[in-house]
Amino acid sequence: AQSVTQPDIHITVSEGASLELRCNYSYGATPYLFWYVQSPGQGLQLLLKYFSGDTLVQGIKGFEAEFKRSQSSFNLRKPSVHWSDAAEYFCACMNSGGYQKVTFGTGTKLQVIP
Amino acid sequence: DAGVIQSPRHEVTEMGQEVTLRCKPISGHNSLFWYRQTMMRGLELLIYFNNNVPIDDSGMPEDRFSAKMPNASFSTLKIQPSEPRDSAVYFCASRPERLAREWSHEQFFGPGTRLTVL
């Protein structure tokens, strides 16, 4: 069964600093990978996705993520964090064949300090 | 497009009462998902419908939970009887059917229903 691990439950960064949120997946083949963001009191919104091709994918709000097959990772990055980026971030994995079930990680809560 | 619509946004009820949560997916989307989110367990998939048919209900906690999708534009999640441990935020999400590799497979989430069972 596929699984997603986000090892950091909570991260605090200063506004303007760079950000990297970690995500590791477990799946037999190459999965489809996603990052979602959840603002307080809201549903989840897609930031970016990886299906195939270029392993560095660009998303909305200045975020990017890099798929590294050798490390089974799909880390999310942003060069300069804004206060409005404070939210919870979820990595997700979907199997690429058959029933396309999506498995979410447990989330990383990002706090941005002035 | 109004997005995925869920009602009610908040529900407070007493233990033993029946609770019904409602979801209207985005028009044209063929897949619908119900999730539960808690601090302890994170985001859990409860059930997945495709073309109104339940495909995977392995996440439904127990017989007290039931879900229906009578047509393409409406789904319900019912808890009967409710218990305090059911307190959570319940999300509904919809996804367009995969027709080509270009489709995004993105799930569109509703704003959620915050359920409190006293």
Side-chain angles (χ1 to χ4, degrees), chain A residues 2-66:
Chain A
Q2 64 203 46
S3 65
V4 177
T5 301
Q6 293 181 249
D8 303 308
I9 296 173
H10 191 273
I11 283 184
T12 300
V13 299
S14 299
E15 190 169 14
S18 63
L19 171 71
E20 182 168 26
L21 302 183
R22 295 184 291 165
C23 173
N24 292 94
Y25 68 89
S26 173
Y27 181 61
T30 300
Y32 297 155
L33 296 163
F34 307 82
W35 274 99
Y36 284 82
V37 61
Q38 184 182 29
S39 298
Q42 304 294 318
L44 280 68
Q45 179 188 17
L46 183 69
L47 281 177
L48 48 77
K49 59 188 181 289
Y50 171 79
F51 293 159
S52 64
D54 192 347
T55 56
L56 184 63
V57 293
Q58 303 296 321
I60 62 172
K61 305 184 181 186
F63 285 91
E64 65 178 27
E66 186 171 12

Side-chain angles (χ1 to χ4, degrees), chain A residues 32 34 36 38 41-44 46 49 51-52 88 90 94 96 99-102 104, chain B residues 9 35 37 43 45 48 55-56 58 91 95 98 101 103-107 109-111:
Chain A
Y32 297 155
F34 307 82
Y36 284 82
Q38 184 182 29
Q42 304 294 318
L44 280 68
L46 183 69
K49 59 188 181 289
F51 293 159
S52 64
E88 191 158 15
F90 293 87
M94 184 174 82
S96 51
Y99 161 35
Q100 296 174 317
K101 180 175 182 176
V102 177
F104 284 86
Chain B
R9 293 295 309 275
Y35 290 91
Q37 186 178 40
L43 196 62
L45 176 66
Y48 157 53
I55 303 299
D56 181 2
S58 60
F91 288 101
R95 186 178 74 190
R98 175 183 178 182
R101 294 190 63 190
W103 285 68
S104 71
H105 303 290
E106 176 183 356
Q107 292 187 29
F109 282 77

Side-chain angles (χ1 to χ4, degrees), chain B residues 3-106:
Chain B
V4 175
I5 299 172
Q6 290 188 248
S7 65
R9 293 295 309 275
H10 301 273
E11 177 80 32
V12 181
T13 190
E14 292 187 346
M15 182 173 63
Q17 296 298 305
E18 177 181 298
V19 174
T20 299
L21 311 182
R22 297 173 175 79
C23 175
K24 177 178 169 54
I26 293 173
S27 177
H29 286 193
N30 297 81
S31 294
L32 184 140
F33 307 81
W34 281 101
Y35 290 91
R36 177 173 68 177
Q37 186 178 40
T38 61
M39 290 290 291
M40 293 299 295
R41 302 171 70 92
L43 196 62
E44 305 172 275
L45 176 66
L46 299 178
I47 188 168
Y48 157 53
F49 290 90
N50 184 256
N51 291 324
N52 313 335
V53 176
I55 303 299
D56 181 2
D57 64 356
S58 60
M60 296 287 265
E62 47 199 276
D63 291 346
R64 297 185 297 108
F65 285 69
S66 62
K68 294 182 179 180
M69 192 165 186
N71 57 63
S73 59
F74 183 66
S75 177
T76 59
L77 177 68
K78 186 177 294 187
I79 308 172
Q80 166 63 19
S82 58
E83 297 182 3
R85 61 192 169 117
D86 301 329
S87 297
V89 180
Y90 290 82
F91 288 101
C92 175
S94 69
R95 186 178 74 190
E97 182 176 1
R98 175 183 178 182
L99 294 179
R101 294 190 63 190
E102 291 74 24
W103 285 68
S104 71
H105 303 290
E106 176 183 356

Side-chain angles (χ1 to χ4, degrees), chain A residues 10-17 81-84 86 110-114:
Chain A
H10 191 273
I11 283 184
T12 300
V13 299
S14 299
E15 190 169 14
V81 171
H82 188 263
W83 64 267
S84 61
L110 173 66
Q111 181 181 9
V112 180
I113 56 177

